[in-house]
């Protein structure tokens, strides 16, 4: 039997069957307080791959930088409403905030720099950790998966994402410094589990920016020692095609479907479905 890079027995997951109905959505927080580890890239490309398999996907851009919004071709500065307005206007229909991308079954709730003010405003909100969960409630029956692209911090926005989520995917770059901060994230996840969201799970650890070097192999081994079978079988290799796809405002699974990295993201999507995380 073939093996993955960690030596685990592994065969490519089969393409999933079509769905007869959609919803309720599984909510996944793409979370790591370290920047530059591939959170937004993975949110867009896992979402894109799942949409190709007939799953209805909503990406929630929960980062004031708005990279996921731009990465799917939406100009957040030209739209009337973003996730920020949805959070703080209880009379707003959240459906009015959802933007349809040019890709079938792939929608986004955009964000822009306005969201940076939310961290301060949430401090005085009643049930401040659960504002995002309440905002997304009306959308869950319309999608198969909702992916929250978190900002690189462990503040109130990230706590809101962890409270709203059913589970977490942790992207970790195959670099030593990226690995160091994961312990702090795990402490935050454990606190949310203990105090707010006891059903929160860790769905998996996604190794990104992998290169065939001794350093990357050592980091990959250390990640496996820490997380065991939570580490996805497929790793995402470093590739110039990913920035190219970002410039084209498209998931790499649509921009260059035969590229190695597109195949890796499709494999992650199939693993999520095969493991029952997503219908």
């Amino acid at each position: 039997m073939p093996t993955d890079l960690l030596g685990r027995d592994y065969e490519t997951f089969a393409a999933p069957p079509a769905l007869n109905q959609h919803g309720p959505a599984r909510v996944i927080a793409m979370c790591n307080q370290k920047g530059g580890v591939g959170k937004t890239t993975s949110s867009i490309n896992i979402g894109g791959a799942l949409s190709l398999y007939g799953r209805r996907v909503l990406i929630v851009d929960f980062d004031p930088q708005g990279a996921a919004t731009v990465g799917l071709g939406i100009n957040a500065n030209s739209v009337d409403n973003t996730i920020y307005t949805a959070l703080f206007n209880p009379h707003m229909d959240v459906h009015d905030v959802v933007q349809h991308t040019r890709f079938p079954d792939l929608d986004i709730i955009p964000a822009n720099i306005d969201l940076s003010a939310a961290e301060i405003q949430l401090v005085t909100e009643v049930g401040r950790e659960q504002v995002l969960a309440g905002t997304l409630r009306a959308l869950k029956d319309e999608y198969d998966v909702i992916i929250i692209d978190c900002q690189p911090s462990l503040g109130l926005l990230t706590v809101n994402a962890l409270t709203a989520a059913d589970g977490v995917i942790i992207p970790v770059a195959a670099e030593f410094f990226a690995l160091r901060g994961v312990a702090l994230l795990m402490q935050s996840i454990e606190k949310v589990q203990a105090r707010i969201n006891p059903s929160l799970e860790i769905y998996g650890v996604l190794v990104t920016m992998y290169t065939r070097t001794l350093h990357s192999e050592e980091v990959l081994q250390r990640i496996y020692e820490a997380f065991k079978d939570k580490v996805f079988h497929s790793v995402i290799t470093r590739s110039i095609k990913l920035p190219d796809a970002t410039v084209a405002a498209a998931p790499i699974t649509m921009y260059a479907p035969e590229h190695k990295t597109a195949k890796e993201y499709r494999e992650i999507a199939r693993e999520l479905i095969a493991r029952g995380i997503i219908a």
Side-chain angles (χ1 to χ4, degrees):
M1 181 180 288
T3 59
D4 64 14
L5 289 173
L6 287 162
R8 297 176 292 180
D9 290 341
Y10 157 69
E11 289 188 23
T12 299
F13 295 98
L19 294 176
N20 295 321
Q21 60 183 29
H22 298 280
R26 192 63 59 92
V27 182
I28 299 174
M30 193 73 64
C31 191
N32 189 330
Q33 84 276 12
K34 187 176 188 312
V37 298
K39 288 187 296 297
T40 299
T41 299
S42 295
S43 296
I44 290 172
N45 289 299
I46 291 174
L50 287 166
S51 71
L52 289 175
Y53 291 125
R55 274 58 185 173
R56 289 183 182 166
V57 180
L58 174 66
I59 295 175
V60 179
D61 192 345
F62 216 47
D63 184 345
Q65 297 178 71
T69 303
V70 175
L72 285 172
I74 305 294
N75 183 352
N77 294 318
S78 67
V79 298
D80 293 330
N81 298 306
T82 64
I83 186 62
Y84 173 76
T85 49
L87 288 174
F88 296 104
N89 185 348
H91 304 296
M92 172 174 283
D93 184 347
V94 69
H95 294 86
D96 294 338
V97 186
V98 175
Q99 295 285 319
H100 303 295
T101 71
R102 67 183 191 274
F103 309 106
D105 293 324
L106 183 59
D107 296 341
I108 186 166
I109 296 181
N112 58 25
I113 196 64
D114 292 347
L115 187 60
S116 59
E119 198 89 39
I120 298 169
Q121 287 180 251
L122 282 169
V123 172
T124 58
E125 285 288 315
V126 175
R128 60 188 183 182
E129 298 91 353
Q130 298 168 330
V131 176
L132 178 62
T135 301
L136 297 180
R137 195 170 294 127
L139 296 170
K140 292 185 72 172
D141 287 339
E142 300 169 28
Y143 293 93
D144 300 306
V145 58
I146 297 174
I147 300 173
I148 306 171
D149 180 32
C150 299
Q151 68 170 348
S153 97
L154 293 177
L156 266 175
L157 288 178
T158 299
V159 171
N160 260 265
L162 294 174
T163 303
D166 298 301
V168 186
I169 292 177
I170 306 172
V172 181
E175 300 168 351
F176 175 70
F177 288 113
L179 183 59
R180 290 183 64 195
V182 176
L184 285 173
L185 173 60
M186 292 305 300
Q187 290 175 13
S188 294
I189 290 172
E190 288 166 4
K191 287 178 182 177
V192 171
Q193 287 171 325
R195 299 173 185 175
I196 308 170
N197 185 4
S199 61
L200 182 67
E201 299 180 45
I202 296 174
Y203 285 153
V205 175
L206 176 60
V207 179
T208 63
M209 304 180 186
Y210 180 83
T211 56
R212 287 199 170 272
T213 62
L214 183 60
H215 178 74
S216 282
E217 290 174 6
E218 289 176 349
V219 172
L220 179 61
Q221 195 60 46
R222 289 187 61 180
I223 293 170
Y224 178 69
E225 289 168 3
F227 293 99
K228 302 299 180 187
D229 289 333
K230 293 288 187 184
V231 181
F232 287 104
H233 282 287
S234 187
V235 304
I236 308 302
T237 51
R238 189 183 292 275
S239 168
I240 191 61
K241 274 293 181 190
L242 284 170
D244 288 348
T246 301
V247 171
I252 194 169
T253 47
M254 283 78 155
Y255 175 75
E258 296 307 311
H259 191 270
K260 179 183 179 184
T261 308
K263 294 176 181 177
E264 290 164 353
Y265 274 115
R266 287 199 298 271
E267 184 71 359
I268 296 294
R270 291 198 298 270
E271 183 170 353
L272 286 167
I273 295 169
R275 286 168 51 190
I277 293 171
I278 296 169

